[in-house]
């Protein structure tokens, strides 16, 4: 199976029904060894593209990861980005907003962490939590200090989608390219992974009572994701629904989508003009003529 990014892309204006999107597809690898080789090749390609991205200093790239618990976001980020120079990449994980963050609009805390030109920013969860977990648990919304006149739960989600799309369009117009991943996990696979986290002592820290409570809202989360993906996947900032029941396969798909996105930027190394080239040749001659250390 050859990976085609568009096969996983949510087309702008299309209504998403996640039951029609697979959580597992035919593996791209036939063995563990082949998986490792394929991933190494893609990581190497991505590393070279990141170096070019940093040198050209024309765009910023933002990768957003959203998913249900145990879908493999952390592992995907760790493995796919393993060859990236840390100086050119930053990962931010957004959990519960602080008291200070709640004194601002819902986009404030994440916009402070947007990547600079020439760099890659990764959001492990993001401002999309404000139309996902907050929609599933509206009591969170009512505790955010929003003026009563603006707190209309019948319209606020569409308004937040519009704010998000407006922000992403603004960023695109100013050179930030946004790639958004929803790791699509089945409820049965989550059950298995939760059991593994309990059975393996070194994974116990990953699991708590809160995780099983949130699992009880599975259907509500799927509805929130469907509405979010439908409203906020655009040509400029597309969502990709990645089948996540097979972690290795998901990583290969994500890596290919990221590589394709970088290649689409048409980057090149800065060109040296004739005057600068002459200066460099003059400096080279000076270095050649230096007497070696005695």
């Amino acid at each position: 199976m050859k990976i085609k990014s568009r096969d996983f892309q949510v087309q702008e204006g299309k209504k998403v029904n996640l039951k029609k999107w697979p959580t597992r597809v035919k593996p791209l690898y036939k063995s563990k060894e082949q998986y490792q080789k394929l991933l190494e090749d893609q990581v190497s390609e991505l590393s070279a593209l990141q170096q070019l991205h940093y040198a050209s200093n024309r765009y910023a790239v933002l990768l957003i990861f959203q998913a249900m618990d145990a879908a493999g976001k952390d592992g995907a980020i760790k493995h796919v980005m393993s060859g990236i120079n840390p100086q050119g990449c930053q990962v931010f994980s957004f959990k519960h907003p602080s008291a200070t963050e709640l004194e601002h609009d819902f986009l404030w805390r994440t916009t402070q962490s947007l990547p600079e030109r020439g760099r890659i920013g990764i959001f492990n969860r993001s401002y999309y939590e404000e139309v996902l977990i907050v929609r599933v648990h509206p009591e969170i919304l009512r505790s955010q200090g929003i003026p009563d006149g603006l707190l209309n739960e019948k319209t606020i989600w569409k308004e937040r989608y519009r704010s998000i799309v407006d922000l992403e369009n603004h960023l695109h117009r100013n050179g930030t390219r946004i790639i958004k991943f929803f790791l699509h996990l089945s409820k049965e696979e989550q059950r298995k992974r939760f059991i593994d986290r309990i059975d393996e002592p070194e994974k116990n820290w990953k699991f708590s009572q809160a995780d099983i409570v949130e699992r009880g809202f599975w259907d509500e989360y799927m509805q929130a994701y469907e509405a979010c993906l439908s409203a906020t996947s655009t040509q400029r900032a597309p969502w990709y629904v990645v089948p996540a029941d097979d972690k290795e396969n998901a990583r290969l798909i994500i890596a290919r989508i990221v590589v394709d996105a970088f290649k689409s930027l048409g980057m090149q190394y800065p060109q040296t003009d004739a005057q600068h080239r002459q200066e460099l040749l003059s400096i080279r001659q000076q270095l050649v003529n230096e007497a070696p250390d005695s």
Side-chain angles (χ1 to χ4, degrees):
M1 176 183 175
K2 184 176 175 58
I3 303 174
K4 295 180 180 178
S5 296
R6 64 178 179 273
D7 292 342
F8 305 97
Q9 183 176 339
V10 177
Q11 297 302 315
E12 183 172 354
K14 295 291 185 181
K15 187 174 177 60
V16 174
N17 179 351
L18 286 174
K19 291 180 180 179
K20 296 182 178 180
W21 289 76
T23 59
R24 184 183 295 273
V25 293
K26 184 178 179 180
L28 301 165
Y29 59 94
K30 295 181 179 179
S31 65
K32 196 74 171 179
E33 293 73 21
Q34 187 186 21
Y35 157 72
Q36 292 290 352
K37 178 65 168 60
L38 289 171
L39 185 63
E40 286 172 8
D41 289 346
Q42 290 186 335
V43 167
S44 177
E45 190 173 10
L46 182 56
S47 178
L49 286 166
Q50 186 229 357
Q51 184 176 342
L52 175 56
H53 170 61
Y54 186 80
S56 64
N57 198 39
R58 301 301 296 167
Y59 295 96
V61 173
L62 175 62
L63 309 180
I64 293 177
F65 290 83
Q66 294 285 160
M68 296 294 286
D69 290 329
K73 296 190 313 307
D74 294 350
I77 294 169
K78 175 183 176 181
H79 288 81
V80 173
M81 310 306 288
S82 60
I84 294 297
N85 184 336
Q87 290 184 319
C89 179
Q90 284 184 293
V91 181
F92 297 93
S93 296
F94 296 98
K95 301 186 183 298
H96 298 294
S98 68
T100 299
E101 290 167 344
L102 286 173
E103 293 298 321
H104 296 268
D105 68 272
F106 78 96
L107 293 170
W108 181 80
R109 68 170 179 157
T110 48
T111 52
Q112 297 181 97
S113 301
L114 290 169
E116 306 165 20
R117 289 191 182 91
R119 297 181 181 272
I120 301 170
I122 299 173
F123 285 0
N124 185 350
R125 301 192 187 278
S126 66
Y127 44 83
Y128 280 101
E129 292 293 282
E130 293 292 331
V131 293
L132 294 168
I133 187 172
V134 178
R135 184 164 188 172
V136 172
H137 298 286
E139 65 274 13
I140 299 176
L141 179 69
R142 293 190 285 270
S143 69
Q144 291 184 342
I146 301 171
D148 291 341
L150 301 177
L151 191 57
N152 185 338
E153 293 182 29
K154 293 182 179 180
T155 61
I156 196 167
W157 308 118
K158 289 184 178 179
E159 292 168 353
R160 287 194 168 189
Y161 297 146
R162 180 176 177 179
S163 294
I164 288 171
V165 171
D166 285 348
L167 170 68
E168 292 178 347
N169 282 336
H170 165 76
L171 293 173
H172 187 278
R173 288 191 297 268
N174 287 273
T176 296
R177 295 298 177 259
I178 304 171
I179 309 159
K180 302 176 296 195
F181 297 102
F182 169 57
L183 274 62
H184 190 21
L185 184 74
S186 68
K187 192 174 184 181
E188 172 60 16
E189 183 63 23
Q190 187 194 59
R191 184 185 70 86
K192 293 177 182 178
R193 293 183 188 180
F194 277 175
I195 291 173
D196 287 343
R197 289 183 176 185
I198 295 170
D199 290 347
E200 299 179 38
E202 65 274 15
K203 292 184 179 180
N204 286 175
W205 66 273
K206 292 184 175 183
F207 191 74
S208 69
Q209 181 65 29
D211 296 323
I212 204 68
V213 170
E214 288 304 289
R215 178 174 165 83
F217 293 92
W218 185 276
D219 290 343
E220 291 84 350
Y221 272 110
M222 292 302 102
Q223 291 171 13
Y225 269 110
E226 287 174 345
C228 171
L229 297 173
S230 300
T232 62
S233 190
T234 64
Q235 201 62 35
R236 289 180 167 182
W239 275 106
Y240 293 91
V241 179
V242 178
D245 282 3
D246 180 336
K247 289 182 179 180
E248 288 77 14
N249 220 37
R251 292 165 190 167
L252 293 174
I253 292 169
I254 291 167
R256 176 45 53 191
I257 292 170
V258 175
V259 166
D260 288 348
F262 270 107
K263 285 183 173 180
S264 72
L265 298 180
M267 301 177 294
Q268 59 182 337
Y269 284 101
Q271 298 296 307
T272 302
D273 60 31
Q275 182 180 350
H276 186 213
R277 180 61 183 163
Q278 194 58 44
E279 291 173 353
L280 293 177
L281 292 174
S282 177
I283 293 170
R284 182 184 187 280
Q285 192 59 47
Q286 293 176 39
L287 293 170
V288 170
N289 293 339
E290 276 187 9
D293 293 338
S294 56

